[in-house]
Amino acid sequence: MGSTRSSRKDDLGQSTDLALVHHRQITKGVPMKSLENQTETHISGSPPAPFPSLHPCLPFPPGHPPPPPPRQPLPPHWQGPLRDQQSVHMELLLAAAWNNHNPGEIRVKLDYSRLVTFYDPTFTSLVKARKGLDRNHHRLLSLSPVDYHTALAQLDEDLSRPTTESSGIDWRSVLRTVTDRYGDRIWLLKDSLDRREQKGVNSTEVASHVRLQVFVMLMQYLIYGAVPPDDDPSSGGRDREWLEPITTHCASALTAGINPSKLTRSERLIKQSIDGVLHRICSTLTGVWADAFSVLNVPDEKVGKLLKGWSRSVNELVDWLDWPMWHTCRPACPEQMFCYIPTWPFGVPWEAVDPDSIDMTPRCIDRTNAVLHP
C-alpha cells in the first residue's frame, strides 16, 4: 500500500505518523555468488553437522539456511541437464516479485473496516519508544500491558461486529488515488530541484520549471482571489494567509464528503491517516508556491536561495512519505537484468541481525549469471 500518515503530535513533540505503506523488509545486500556457495556446500560437499531441533516444525535454528532436499532419481529416458542452483534462485526471486506492484496479491481481500495497526497513536507506549528511530528499528518490545490489552480489545470488537456495520467505502481505491495523484509528480519535482546543483544549470530556468510543476499539482485547488495581497514580489513569502484556503481545499478534497459517524474505528483511523498525509503534501506544495508564485520577478541572485529552501522542503516530504514506488533502480536496469531490493534470505547474510548493517539499496541482477551489480 502507499504511505499515508496521521500527523498528530504526541506530548514529546514527536509525530505519531501512521504509516499505511511499508516499503521494505530488513535485509542486507551481498553478492548472489555468496548464496550459491552456501547452497553448493550443502549439495556437493560434506553435509553440514546436524543442528539440534528447536521445534518439531523447525529442523534448523534461526541464522542458518535450511538443508537442501535429497536428490531424486531421474525418470527413465530423461535427456538433457537439470536446472542448476542459479536458475532456481533467479526464478524464485522473479516469482516472488510478481506481486510487488499494484494491484499486488489480488487473491487476498483486506477488510479495511477491521484493521488493527500498532502504528495507531492510541498505543502511546510505542509512540514514545519510536521517538528518534527510523522504521527499521521499530519494535513491539516496548508495548505496555495497557496497550497490549487495548489491542486485544480492538481485535475482539472487530471480530465480533456484524459484517454490515461499516461504511462500505472502497478504502483501497482512495489510498491508491493519493499515490497515483502525487507519486510520480512529487518525485519529478524532487528531481528538478536536485538538478539545480549541476554545473551550467540556469537557476531561473529551474525555478520557472518548478513553478510550473507545483502549479499543475495545485491548479484544481486554487481559489479565485487567493493571491498575495499586493504587488511586492517578495510578499508571497512573508504573508501566508492567502495560502490557507488553497491548503485546506487541497488537503480535504478526497475525504470532505465522508461522514465520520458512519465509520468503524479502523475506518476513522484510515481517514485520519489520509487527511494527515494530504495536509503534509499540500502544505509543502503551497509553501513552495508562496515563493514560486512571483519567482520570475525575483532578482537572479536570490533565486538560488529559494531553490535551496524548496529542495530541502520537498526532500523532507519524500523522506517522510517513503512510498515504495520510489524504491527502485535508477537508472532502470537493462533488458537482461531486473531490479531487486536485497531481501532476506537472498542477498543477505543469514546471520544478519543489526538493522544498521542492512543495505537495501535497489540493485540490478543479471538474469544470465546472477551477478548482483553495485
Side-chain angles (χ1 to χ4, degrees):
M1 298 179 60
S3 175
T4 60
R5 311 185 182 195
S6 167
S7 57
R8 280 176 44 189
K9 299 285 185 179
D10 61 20
D11 55 354
L12 298 175
Q14 175 75 5
S15 176
T16 57
D17 301 341
L18 182 64
L20 293 184
V21 176
H22 220 171
H23 70 281
R24 296 181 285 186
Q25 302 177 33
I26 297 181
T27 54
K28 179 181 178 181
V30 297
M32 291 290 291
K33 194 65 178 177
S34 299
L35 182 62
E36 288 184 25
N37 291 339
Q38 291 176 0
T39 307
E40 289 297 333
T41 300
H42 291 170
I43 292 175
S44 58
S46 300
F51 295 112
S53 179
L54 303 182
H55 187 277
C57 297
L58 186 63
F60 54 92
H64 296 274
R71 288 187 178 275
Q72 300 297 322
L74 294 177
H77 310 299
W78 178 272
Q79 298 184 22
L82 297 177
R83 296 172 62 191
D84 58 19
Q85 289 299 309
Q86 176 178 302
S87 171
V88 173
H89 295 157
M90 294 296 293
E91 293 304 320
L92 191 153
L93 295 179
L94 287 168
W98 287 343
N99 297 317
N100 280 357
H101 305 288
N102 189 72
E105 174 52 86
I106 60 176
R107 293 170 295 181
V108 177
K109 305 294 184 183
L110 293 181
D111 184 351
Y112 288 89
S113 69
R114 303 174 193 268
L115 291 181
V116 175
T117 171
F118 286 105
Y119 282 102
D120 188 337
T122 299
F123 304 124
T124 56
S125 60
L126 295 180
V127 171
K128 295 177 181 179
R130 291 195 300 265
K131 181 183 179 182
L133 299 178
D134 61 35
R135 190 177 293 165
N136 282 350
H137 289 80
H138 294 179
R139 299 291 185 271
L140 297 182
L141 299 177
S142 300
L143 185 68
S144 68
V146 172
D147 287 345
Y148 167 77
H149 289 290
T150 299
L152 290 181
Q154 289 183 356
L155 185 61
D156 182 66
E157 175 190 353
D158 288 342
L159 294 178
S160 60
R161 187 182 66 248
T163 305
T164 55
E165 294 185 9
S166 66
S167 67
I169 294 174
D170 184 356
W171 290 105
R172 178 175 180 170
S173 296
V174 178
L175 293 167
R176 180 67 196 276
T177 298
V178 176
T179 55
D180 279 351
R181 183 169 295 181
Y182 293 108
D184 288 342
R185 287 174 171 173
I186 289 177
W187 187 265
L188 288 174
L189 179 62
K190 173 187 181 301
D191 183 70
S192 295
L193 288 165
D194 289 345
R195 292 175 183 272
R196 80 188 192 283
E197 297 181 351
Q198 294 180 0
K199 186 176 181 179
V201 172
N202 185 292
S203 296
T204 301
E205 291 181 359
V206 173
S208 177
H209 185 57
V210 167
R211 181 187 185 279
L212 178 59
Q213 288 178 289
V214 175
F215 188 15
V216 167
M217 284 188 273
L218 290 177
M219 185 172 64
Q220 58 185 320
Y221 310 117
L222 296 182
I223 299 173
Y224 184 82
V227 295
D230 54 49
D231 295 330
D232 182 353
S234 62
S235 64
R238 293 199 311 266
D239 185 353
R240 300 296 176 106
E241 290 185 6
W242 65 281
L243 296 169
E244 292 180 2
I246 301 175
T247 303
T248 301
H249 188 32
C250 172
S252 62
L254 281 181
T255 61
I258 297 177
N259 184 353
S261 65
K262 298 184 179 298
L263 305 179
T264 66
R265 174 201 56 80
S266 174
E267 289 179 307
R268 288 194 297 272
L269 196 60
I270 294 173
K271 180 182 180 299
Q272 292 169 9
S273 179
I274 294 171
D275 290 342
V277 163
L278 287 177
H279 185 270
R280 178 66 181 266
I281 291 173
C282 295
S283 59
T284 298
L285 294 178
T286 53
V288 175
W289 182 244
D291 298 312
F293 178 77
S294 56
V295 71
L296 299 182
N297 297 325
V298 173
D300 292 345
E301 59 270 17
K302 294 184 179 181
V303 173
K305 183 178 180 180
L306 290 176
L307 288 175
K308 184 177 181 179
W310 298 348
S311 180
R312 181 175 60 253
S313 297
V314 172
N315 276 280
E316 288 175 354
L317 174 64
V318 169
D319 291 340
W320 187 80
L321 292 172
D322 200 22
W323 284 346
M325 65 182 66
W326 297 332
H327 296 277
T328 187
C329 298
R330 301 178 188 277
C333 301
E335 287 295 328
Q336 294 303 316
M337 298 184 184
F338 66 94
C339 188
Y340 173 66
I341 297 178
T343 307
W344 188 94
F346 298 108
V348 180
W350 285 83
E351 69 279 5
V353 293
D354 180 10
D356 289 327
S357 70
I358 295 167
D359 179 10
M360 299 182 66
T361 303
R363 299 159 70 183
C364 295
I365 295 183
D366 195 312
R367 296 172 186 261
T368 59
N369 57 23
V371 172
L372 187 59
H373 289 253

